[in-house]
Structures are given as structure tokens and as C-alpha cells.
Amino acid sequence: YGNTLDNIDVKVDNKNPLFNTFIAVDDLKTHYYDMKDFKLINTTITDTLFFRAEFKGGMGYNDSYNLNFYHTFNKDNKSVIGLKTSDISFKGNEWILNKDNDDRNKVEFNKTLDSITIKEVVMNNGEDEQIRLRGQLADSTYKDLQLQFKIVSLNKITPTIDSLRLDGQVNGILNVLQKDNIYLPSSNLNISSFSVNGITLGDMAIGIVGNKDLTNFVVNSQLVDEGVEKFGILGNLSTEGEMPVATLIANFNGFNLEPFDPLGGGVISHIRGGLNGSVKITGEIDNPDITGELTMNN
């Protein structure tokens, strides 16, 4: 299936007092994520299987994972995979899963995998930053997923982009609700002290609401600095065709261009000034038409 595993070591010994199963894989490549130095150890206590898995992954294998989890059955004979206190290192930042080591961080599912309940999965970075996932899935007809951010640094959860460092504190909720063929996605996110390449631009609000069948999204976002809207975008994204189509209005009012100077890449240097004006963005998002009038001041 396009996956490759190199140098596999498997040991099974149900009489061993330390572990029942040990699996090691030097290198694992998939379409979605590459891993190396994968090690998994398992032991059984009464009717519960306990696991610990360690591996490295991501670009340059700089992300590390140390996961403690278990599998058992609940009173309804559903499978339960629960998380014990674990840690993940992503972009050099350590996130603790189930910091309080409670029994709420778990996923329940039936034998046919057509009913899945995420009670909650909580990740913490330091004392304040938290990401919380919860929701339900039922075959292909029902989904209700909620991802909540609390004082999360934007730089810690966004991918690394050359010449572009984004930061700020993210608060709010992403939610997707599906009933039969009706979808109701929404987001209400706020990024306080939003900055690009170390220069603070203001506070950003991101609002996106989709229609019932996910064929149209209303976008309403603003960047406000000291009570003045420096940037705003309002309009619709249609997903009825193969490529999403935009009908958006973007307004600029003294929008600071200095943080984007590194993007010039030596072709354009010393990018400075404030951008003013309004443009209309229409057409397929991979190559839209942009019309309007923009001016710059020092």
C-alpha cells in the first residue's frame, strides 16, 4: 500500500514478567508521516493491555513522541483506548497529554468502528497553553468535532515557512457538525498580539461559517491595531466545483508592510510603508483575479 518498514524486530513472550510484546522498526515511511526509531512495548494486567511507544517523526525527524496508553473494554463491551500522561515534542516545544493523568482522556468505539466517541484529548504546554479535542463520529452520516484553543502560541502550532514567522496568542473554537449530508462547520478564533517576523500588527479575529452542504463559506476577518481596523476581508468561498472559487473584498488601512521584507528574497529589498485601499478577489483560488486600487505611504 505504498508504506515501507525497514529492519523490523518483534518479540512475543507471554511469560516474561517485564513485557509481553516488543516491536521495533528502524525506519517507517508512509504517505502521511515518516517515522524512525519506533519502539513499542506491551504488558497485560488483568483485562487491560498497557502500551508505551516511542518514536521520532516529521521533517528532519525533529519531532519526538513518548506515548503511554491502554486498551480495555467498558461495561457496554465497547473498546476503549485511553491516554495516560504522555509527551510530544513539536517544533522544539514539549506538549503534555493528559497532564492530570485522569480517566477522561480516551476514545471509545464499537467492533465495527462505525461509532467513535472522543471523550476528550487534552494537550498542555507549560502552565497556560491548552488544546482540547472532543467529539463523536457515527459511520459516514454524523460528525460533531470540536477543537478548542486556550492561550496557545500561534508559532507552536503552525508549520515552519521560510522567511515567515507567525506568532500571537490563539483563543477560540473550531467546530464541524455533520448530520447526514448536511454540514455546519464554523470557527471563532481570536489571535491577540498577532505578529509577523517579530513585528506586532494587532489583534486578529477569524470568523468562518459554512452552509448546510459545505458548498459555500462566509469569511469575515479583521486585523485591528489600537482600535483601528488595519486589514479586513469579507466575502464568500464556493466549493461546488473542483477548485474553490472566491468572491472576496480585502480592505487595507495603513497596513504595515515591514514584516514582509524577508519575503523579497533579494529581488525587492527594504519593503516599508503602509498599504491603503481596497481590492476585489474573484475566481478560482489557485489563480484569482485581483482588481482594485492600492496606495502606499511612508
Side-chain angles (χ1 to χ4, degrees):
Y1 298 97
N3 305 310
T4 60
L5 295 86
D6 291 333
N7 201 13
I8 304 169
D9 183 16
V10 178
K11 295 181 176 70
V12 179
D13 184 355
N14 289 333
K15 295 181 180 180
N16 190 316
L18 298 179
F19 68 87
N20 301 136
T21 307
F22 172 80
I23 300 173
V25 182
D26 277 1
D27 205 41
L28 195 158
K29 296 187 184 298
T30 74
H31 292 296
Y32 308 102
Y33 198 72
D34 294 339
M35 294 180 281
K36 74 172 185 177
D37 301 334
F38 177 89
K39 295 180 179 66
L40 182 144
I41 196 168
N42 154 249
T43 189
T44 305
I45 301 176
T46 61
D47 60 350
T48 303
L49 305 179
F50 290 91
F51 300 86
R52 177 173 175 82
E54 301 176 358
F55 58 93
K56 296 179 181 178
M59 187 176 296
Y61 300 104
N62 292 320
D63 303 336
S64 65
Y65 300 78
N66 299 292
L67 304 177
N68 298 293
F69 56 99
Y70 61 89
H71 175 269
T72 189
F73 293 93
N74 62 16
K75 62 182 181 180
D76 298 320
N77 203 32
K78 289 185 176 182
S79 288
V80 177
I81 294 180
L83 271 173
K84 306 295 285 184
T85 300
S86 307
D87 64 86
I88 296 174
S89 181
F90 176 71
K91 291 184 69 177
N93 301 290
E94 185 181 61
W95 292 87
I96 305 299
L97 287 79
N98 194 4
K99 181 180 179 180
D100 298 328
N101 204 31
D102 57 45
D103 61 357
R104 296 191 299 274
N105 282 248
K106 57 188 177 184
V107 178
E108 299 177 353
F109 53 93
N110 60 10
K111 292 181 180 179
T112 56
L113 289 177
D114 58 6
S115 176
I116 301 173
T117 300
I118 304 171
K119 292 295 186 180
E120 68 175 17
V121 176
V122 182
M123 299 171 54
N124 290 84
N125 180 261
E127 294 297 322
D128 300 319
E129 296 180 85
Q130 185 180 93
I131 300 174
R132 184 185 300 266
L133 172 67
R134 55 165 62 102
Q136 290 183 308
L137 300 93
D139 51 61
S140 62
T141 64
Y142 181 83
K143 295 182 183 72
D144 187 3
L145 298 174
Q146 184 184 92
L147 191 61
Q148 182 180 30
F149 299 90
K150 179 183 177 184
I151 322 177
V152 176
S153 173
L154 181 63
N155 181 56
K156 294 178 181 177
I157 60 174
T158 50
T160 300
I161 304 173
D162 288 342
S163 303
L164 194 64
R165 184 180 186 275
L166 306 177
D167 214 342
Q169 289 189 341
V170 183
N171 290 276
I173 293 174
L174 289 173
N175 180 255
V176 174
L177 175 63
Q178 175 202 354
K179 291 183 179 180
D180 295 320
N181 292 321
I182 297 175
Y183 291 81
L184 295 170
S186 62
S187 73
N188 186 8
L189 293 175
N190 292 282
I191 306 173
S192 58
S193 301
F194 175 67
S195 69
V196 178
N197 293 329
I199 299 176
T200 301
L201 297 176
D203 299 327
M204 178 171 282
I206 302 173
I208 302 174
V209 178
N211 65 352
K212 292 182 178 181
D213 57 2
L214 279 186
T215 59
N216 192 74
F217 293 85
V218 176
V219 179
N220 186 9
S221 300
Q222 303 87 30
L223 177 67
V224 178
D225 184 28
E226 297 182 351
V228 178
E229 184 177 302
K230 297 292 185 176
F231 168 75
I233 188 164
L234 178 65
N236 294 274
L237 287 173
S238 173
T239 60
E240 291 184 290
E242 292 185 3
M243 179 65 64
V245 174
T247 306
L248 301 167
I249 298 292
N251 296 304
F252 300 87
N253 180 21
F255 181 76
N256 188 3
L257 294 176
E258 184 179 354
F260 303 94
D261 181 57
L263 296 177
V267 178
I268 303 175
S269 60
H270 302 294
I271 298 175
R272 297 290 187 275
L275 189 66
N276 298 278
S278 178
V279 296
K280 187 174 182 180
I281 304 167
T282 57
E284 296 183 347
I285 61 172
D286 63 336
N287 187 26
D289 292 324
I290 302 175
T291 58
E293 184 175 336
L294 296 173
T295 61
M296 292 178 56
N297 54 27
N298 295 327

